[in-house]
Amino acid sequence: MPPLNEEQLDQLRDERREQIKYAALRVFACYGLCGTKMSMIACEAGVSQGLSYRYFKSKDELFVELIEEAMREALEAVKYVSEQPGTPTELMAMITEGMLEENNKYYFMLVQQARTSENMPERVKQIFEQYSNQAIIDQLVSIFIKGQDAGEFIAGDPQQLLFWYFALISGLMLQVQESDGYGLPNATFLMRVLLK
Amino acid sequence: MPPLNEEQLDQLRDERREQIKYAALRVFACYGLCGTKMSMIACEAGVSQGLSYRYFKSKDELFVELIEEAMREALEAVKYVSEQPGTPTELMAMITEGMLEENNKYYFMLVQQARTSENMPERVKQIFEQYSNQAIIDQLVSIFIKGQDAGEFIAGDPQQLLFWYFALISGLMLQVQESDGYGLPNATFLMRVLLK
Amino acid sequence: MPPLNEEQLDQLRDERREQIKYAALRVFACYGLCGTKMSMIACEAGVSQGLSYRYFKSKDELFVELIEEAMREALEAVKYVSEQPGTPTELMAMITEGMLEENNKYYFMLVQQARTSENMPERVKQIFEQYSNQAIIDQLVSIFIKGQDAGEFIAGDPQQLLFWYFALISGLMLQVQESDGYGLPNATFLMRVLLK
Amino acid sequence: MPPLNEEQLDQLRDERREQIKYAALRVFACYGLCGTKMSMIACEAGVSQGLSYRYFKSKDELFVELIEEAMREALEAVKYVSEQPGTPTELMAMITEGMLEENNKYYFMLVQQARTSENMPERVKQIFEQYSNQAIIDQLVSIFIKGQDAGEFIAGDPQQLLFWYFALISGLMLQVQESDGYGLPNATFLMRVLLK
DNA sequence: GATGAATGAGCTTTCATTCAT
DNA sequence: AATGAATGAAAGCTCATTCAT
């Protein structure tokens, strides 16, 4: 007779899994894949070293799962906003603000760690190909063109301008550490590069 | 009899040192400090594994020397420009263009690798404290204020705006990989965030 | 009120113990002591991982108990046969047939796994010393000598010949896997080495 | 300028490789694949733990290479003998004696370790399929049939009888440890099972 | 000076064993 | 009594660094 029923166990397992996963996010984001030791994750999560391997097959797999989640949620956020009412400028501002939110920071750092390292697991490269340029930017191209037509945005290839815009923001978020004391700028500042 | 005199030997030695150092730059830039194996550097430089240790005490020291060089040259470049004649906008454009130059890319990537990893040698942190915020930005504050006074630049804390500006550019340079096919924007695009 | 009395509980306990023990036999026989994980035994027995430790102190102890049983039963079988009536050849054939019986296979494999590995628990080595050469073979020496005197068996040191004979059979049983499709030979074939 | 020329280095490497390989043979033969720690091999070879990995990718690969060598040489030995002149009985005796030679012992033990364990690397299973039953036995079938026709060998399926014969010998070699004090029988004893 | 073989500390991963429920 | 989550010691493997040549 098991002490807990199946459902309770499942819930417990899910909680543990998340606990380890988000500890890993924080550590990977700061130290990168190869700079992170499994012991650091275990320590951050407050569990033993071995336990992580009951929930994730390997360090790489744990990293990949986080990358996948980051990209999936980024895409969903952009999709959601692009379906809202508002002028192109308003929508763009919403997306920009969403990106700048504090609790997105770890995900941005994680993705940056992955993008700036050559020796990533094959699966990470695949995910980037699948999501990065295509999907996310494509969601916004039509909005951007509307904004250009409305005279709100500067002229130029929408794909390219959007790519640069996200690169700027992603890069910015990484540079900005609490220690610098400058904090993140608001959306208005950043949008100046796009607005006429 | 020795085939080369002392001076020639010294020069040869220096060349070898540079050869290894710039191989290390390229590899560190792509893979980060802990993602780089000494064997990768030796391979890139076309020398044996052991040789690096005749010129650099350790992997960390080699990395530190590159970081130091990167920061020193960045500061000098900014200093040089700030002493040139021209309007604040023109000077700022010069600096921006200098940063975007292709052959600065590896240094930017290297510095970014160092800035986004927590587990850097103590010396790297010192160098960042010494150079980054203070020195480089301080060089430009007076120019920036002149620009604000002349109505060329937007209002706001010059230190903070310049910090963000450099963070944007640094981040952008890392995001942009040849593979993306978008290339780097020109200075005009970036300067929109600062210009009125 | 307890649904079962003391005696019934004891019986249940014994059954569980046997269930785990014979699952362990099948797994140890195929994978060896160190090739077997406790989880494999638990899985084969259809119980949870932790349960084995209520019945056996450790993996080693479980292995040792099986080895002990194997040797004890082998000795008893030989003893039993050696007390039966019949010519030496007939008795030897009975023993040989007994060894070749299918349901002895796992025990033979287990013992072979133990004999061909150096890193066995001390207790296993003791059991081998206690049983193997002395006891079992000694039971048969008198029969063998009778057979030699009767001109049925070949000449030679009875201890040595019997040792070789059992080694041959033990080895054979292990080599023969179902997958080979050859099956086991009958006693007549094997006894040719001993018979004149 | 390398201190040794290419040829000398190659030779040195080959020697080291063999040194590690044969140390591994002795240890694997006694302890099996999973009972052997890389540290045991390193110790037996008198080198450091890490060195083995310069010559062999992994523990498994080292094991596989030894198995492959064992099977290849066994096949070659049998091939060689089968091409010699002599009666079938004489040839069979040569093969038997070859198998019983002391310095084959480790290879036999190794192969036995592999055959009696289920959890072998996939490659080991392939090698066994490739060599074991087919190749080696097939070499001898024609000799055996000649022997049967000449009235030297007992009647029966040659494949099956040869398989059993080799199984007997292989098994025997494993059972026989120096500690037993009985030594190995000579070929004449073993061939009794086949001879009329 | 130059090479690359050799070392060993340290990291990833596994698994016997324990423990909360 | 039974479960399976949790632990941590130990094994496989990597790689910065040293050393013989």
Side-chain angles (χ1 to χ4, degrees):
Chain A
M1 172 179 55
L4 295 169
N5 64 37
E6 197 60 27
E7 202 179 323
Q8 287 172 308
L9 267 177
D10 266 8
Q11 197 196 324
L12 220 66
R13 268 196 293 262
D14 277 0
E15 277 168 23
R16 263 287 188 269
R17 215 184 129 84
E18 297 298 284
Q19 173 190 358
I20 292 168
K21 193 154 111 185
Y22 292 111
L25 171 61
R26 292 190 294 277
V27 186
F28 279 138
C30 294
Y31 296 88
L33 173 54
C34 78
T36 295
K37 302 170 205 168
M38 286 303 273
S39 59
M40 293 158 79
I41 294 173
C43 178
E44 175 81 16
V47 300
S48 70
Q49 289 219 38
L51 193 61
S52 309
Y53 289 89
R54 278 184 75 81
Y55 295 96
F56 301 92
K57 257 215 285 284
S58 68
K59 187 165 98 157
D60 274 20
E61 198 188 273
L62 179 47
F63 189 84
V64 165
E65 185 159 331
L66 282 163
I67 288 286
E68 203 156 19
E69 184 167 305
M71 299 307 285
R72 187 171 4 91
E73 296 202 346
L75 179 58
E76 270 165 27
V78 168
K79 254 189 192 151
Y80 170 78
V81 169
S82 70
E83 286 159 359
Q84 301 305 302
T87 67
T89 302
E90 282 166 1
L91 294 183
M92 210 62 195
M94 277 174 73
I95 286 163
T96 305
E97 273 154 13
M99 290 176 78
L100 294 174
E101 254 166 41
E102 179 59 20
N103 48 1
N104 285 333
K105 200 177 88 177
Y106 285 122
Y107 280 113
F108 268 95
M109 289 168 72
L110 182 80
V111 171
Q112 179 69 348
Q113 294 280 7
R115 296 213 65 183
T116 56
S117 252
E118 287 299 313
N119 44 358
M120 282 291 131
E122 209 45 51
R123 186 81 188 94
V124 169
K125 296 179 193 165
Q126 283 174 22
I127 294 170
F128 281 142
E129 278 176 30
Q130 182 189 341
Y131 278 104
S132 195
N133 298 340
Q134 263 110 9
I136 296 184
I137 292 182
D138 287 357
Q139 287 297 316
L140 296 170
V141 167
S142 63
I143 293 178
F144 195 82
I145 292 176
K146 270 187 221 146
Q148 288 179 316
D149 292 345
E152 296 174 13
F153 296 150
I154 60 173
D157 174 7
Q159 298 252 4
Q160 187 172 49
L161 292 172
L162 284 165
F163 175 81
W164 285 341
Y165 186 61
F166 287 131
L168 280 177
I169 300 177
S170 300
L172 173 72
M173 291 190 72
L174 281 157
Q175 304 285 326
V176 174
Q177 312 285 340
E178 277 87 32
S179 59
D180 294 315
Y182 292 119
L184 283 168
N186 54 34
T188 318
F189 174 74
L190 293 166
M191 289 189 62
R192 297 178 58 83
V193 291
L194 296 180
L195 291 175
K196 262 207 171 144
Chain B
M1 72 188 161
L4 297 168
N5 62 34
E6 189 110 345
E7 200 179 324
Q8 287 172 308
L9 271 174
D10 265 11
Q11 197 196 326
L12 219 65
R13 215 185 128 72
D14 278 0
E15 276 170 25
R16 264 279 197 264
R17 213 184 130 84
E18 296 297 284
Q19 174 190 0
I20 292 168
K21 193 156 107 185
Y22 292 110
L25 171 59
R26 291 189 294 278
V27 185
F28 279 139
C30 294
Y31 296 89
L33 173 54
C34 78
T36 296
K37 304 171 201 172
M38 286 303 274
S39 60
M40 292 159 80
I41 294 173
C43 177
E44 176 81 16
V47 300
S48 72
Q49 287 223 39
L51 195 60
S52 309
Y53 287 88
R54 289 208 143 263
Y55 297 96
F56 301 92
K57 245 211 304 269
S58 69
K59 186 165 100 160
D60 275 18
E61 199 188 271
L62 179 46
F63 189 84
V64 165
E65 187 161 329
L66 282 164
I67 288 287
E68 201 156 21
E69 185 169 304
M71 298 308 285
R72 188 174 358 95
E73 297 201 347
L75 179 59
E76 272 165 24
V78 168
K79 255 189 190 151
Y80 170 79
V81 170
S82 69
E83 288 158 359
Q84 300 304 302
T87 66
T89 302
E90 282 165 359
L91 295 183
M92 211 61 196
M94 279 174 71
I95 286 163
T96 305
E97 274 155 12
M99 290 176 78
L100 295 173
E101 255 167 39
E102 180 60 21
N103 49 0
N104 285 333
K105 201 177 92 178
Y106 285 123
Y107 280 113
F108 267 95
M109 289 167 73
L110 182 79
V111 171
Q112 178 72 347
Q113 295 280 6
R115 297 213 65 185
T116 57
S117 256
E118 287 298 312
N119 44 357
M120 282 291 133
E122 209 45 52
R123 187 81 188 93
V124 169
K125 295 180 195 166
Q126 284 173 21
I127 295 169
F128 281 144
E129 277 175 31
Q130 181 189 341
Y131 280 102
S132 195
N133 300 340
Q134 263 110 5
I136 297 185
I137 292 180
D138 286 357
Q139 287 299 314
L140 296 170
V141 166
S142 64
I143 294 178
F144 196 82
I145 291 175
K146 270 186 221 150
Q148 287 180 317
D149 291 345
E152 294 175 14
F153 297 151
I154 60 173
D157 174 7
Q159 296 254 4
Q160 187 172 47
L161 291 172
L162 285 165
F163 175 80
W164 286 339
Y165 187 61
F166 287 131
L168 280 177
I169 301 177
S170 300
L172 174 71
M173 292 190 71
L174 282 156
Q175 302 286 326
V176 175
Q177 312 285 339
E178 279 87 31
S179 60
D180 293 316
Y182 292 118
L184 283 167
N186 54 34
T188 318
F189 174 75
L190 293 166
M191 289 190 62
R192 298 177 57 83
V193 291
L194 296 180
L195 294 173
K196 262 210 171 141
Chain C
M1 71 184 162
L4 297 169
N5 62 32
E6 188 112 344
E7 200 180 322
Q8 286 172 308
L9 271 173
D10 265 13
Q11 197 197 326
L12 219 66
R13 215 183 128 73
D14 278 1
E15 276 170 24
R16 265 278 197 263
R17 213 184 131 84
E18 296 297 284
Q19 173 191 1
I20 292 167
K21 193 156 108 185
Y22 292 110
L25 170 61
R26 291 190 294 276
V27 185
F28 278 138
C30 294
Y31 295 88
L33 173 55
C34 78
T36 296
K37 304 171 200 171
M38 285 305 273
S39 60
M40 292 159 80
I41 295 173
C43 178
E44 175 82 15
V47 300
S48 71
Q49 285 223 39
L51 193 60
S52 309
Y53 287 89
R54 290 208 143 262
Y55 296 97
F56 301 92
K57 242 208 310 266
S58 70
K59 187 164 97 158
D60 275 19
E61 198 187 270
L62 179 47
F63 189 84
V64 165
E65 187 161 328
L66 282 163
I67 288 286
E68 202 155 20
E69 183 169 306
M71 298 309 285
R72 189 173 359 94
E73 296 201 347
L75 179 58
E76 271 165 25
V78 168
K79 255 188 192 152
Y80 171 78
V81 169
S82 69
E83 287 159 359
Q84 300 305 302
T87 67
T89 302
E90 281 165 2
L91 294 183
M92 211 61 197
M94 277 173 72
I95 286 164
T96 305
E97 273 153 13
M99 290 176 78
L100 294 174
E101 254 168 41
E102 179 59 21
N103 49 0
N104 285 333
K105 202 177 91 178
Y106 285 123
Y107 280 113
F108 267 95
M109 288 168 73
L110 182 79
V111 170
Q112 178 72 346
Q113 295 279 7
R115 297 214 65 187
T116 57
S117 256
E118 286 298 312
N119 44 357
M120 282 291 132
E122 209 45 52
R123 187 80 187 94
V124 169
K125 295 180 195 164
Q126 284 173 20
I127 294 170
F128 281 143
E129 277 175 30
Q130 182 189 340
Y131 279 103
S132 194
N133 299 338
Q134 263 113 4
I136 298 186
I137 292 181
D138 286 357
Q139 288 297 316
L140 296 169
V141 167
S142 64
I143 294 178
F144 196 82
I145 291 175
K146 269 187 222 148
Q148 288 180 316
D149 291 345
E152 295 174 15
F153 297 151
I154 61 173
D157 174 9
Q159 297 254 3
Q160 187 171 48
L161 291 173
L162 284 165
F163 174 81
W164 286 339
Y165 187 61
F166 288 132
L168 280 178
I169 300 177
S170 300
L172 173 72
M173 291 190 71
L174 282 156
Q175 304 283 327
V176 175
Q177 312 284 342
E178 278 87 31
S179 59
D180 293 316
Y182 292 118
L184 283 167
N186 55 32
T188 318
F189 174 74
L190 292 167
M191 289 189 62
R192 298 178 57 83
V193 292
L194 296 181
L195 293 174
K196 260 209 172 142
Chain D
M1 172 180 55
L4 295 170
N5 63 37
E6 196 62 26
E7 202 179 323
Q8 285 172 308
L9 267 177
D10 266 8
Q11 197 197 324
L12 222 65
R13 267 197 294 263
D14 277 359
E15 277 169 25
R16 263 287 188 269
R17 216 184 128 84
E18 298 297 284
Q19 174 189 357
I20 292 168
K21 194 156 110 184
Y22 293 111
L25 171 61
R26 291 190 295 277
V27 186
F28 279 139
C30 294
Y31 296 88
L33 173 53
C34 78
T36 296
K37 303 171 204 167
M38 285 304 273
S39 60
M40 292 158 78
I41 294 173
C43 179
E44 175 82 15
V47 299
S48 71
Q49 289 219 37
L51 193 61
S52 310
Y53 290 91
R54 278 184 75 82
Y55 295 96
F56 300 93
K57 256 214 288 281
S58 68
K59 189 167 97 157
D60 274 21
E61 198 188 271
L62 179 46
F63 189 84
V64 165
E65 186 159 330
L66 282 164
I67 288 286
E68 203 156 19
E69 185 168 304
M71 298 308 286
R72 189 173 1 93
E73 296 201 346
L75 179 58
E76 271 165 24
V78 167
K79 254 188 192 153
Y80 170 79
V81 169
S82 69
E83 287 158 359
Q84 301 304 303
T87 66
T89 301
E90 281 165 2
L91 294 182
M92 212 61 196
M94 278 174 72
I95 287 164
T96 304
E97 272 153 14
M99 291 175 78
L100 294 174
E101 255 168 39
E102 179 60 21
N103 47 2
N104 285 333
K105 199 177 92 178
Y106 286 122
Y107 280 113
F108 268 94
M109 290 168 71
L110 182 80
V111 170
Q112 180 69 348
Q113 294 279 8
R115 297 213 65 183
T116 57
S117 254
E118 287 298 312
N119 44 357
M120 281 291 132
E122 209 46 51
R123 185 82 188 92
V124 168
K125 295 179 194 166
Q126 284 173 21
I127 294 170
F128 281 144
E129 278 176 31
Q130 184 188 340
Y131 279 104
S132 196
N133 299 339
Q134 263 109 9
I136 297 184
I137 291 181
D138 287 357
Q139 288 296 317
L140 295 171
V141 166
S142 65
I143 294 178
F144 196 83
I145 291 175
K146 270 187 221 147
Q148 288 180 316
D149 292 345
E152 295 174 14
F153 297 151
I154 60 172
D157 174 8
Q159 297 253 4
Q160 187 170 49
L161 292 172
L162 284 165
F163 175 81
W164 286 339
Y165 187 62
F166 287 132
L168 280 177
I169 300 176
S170 300
L172 173 72
M173 291 190 73
L174 282 157
Q175 304 285 326
V176 175
Q177 313 284 340
E178 278 87 30
S179 59
D180 294 315
Y182 292 117
L184 283 167
N186 54 34
T188 317
F189 174 74
L190 293 166
M191 287 190 63
R192 297 178 56 82
V193 292
L194 296 180
L195 294 175
K196 263 207 170 143

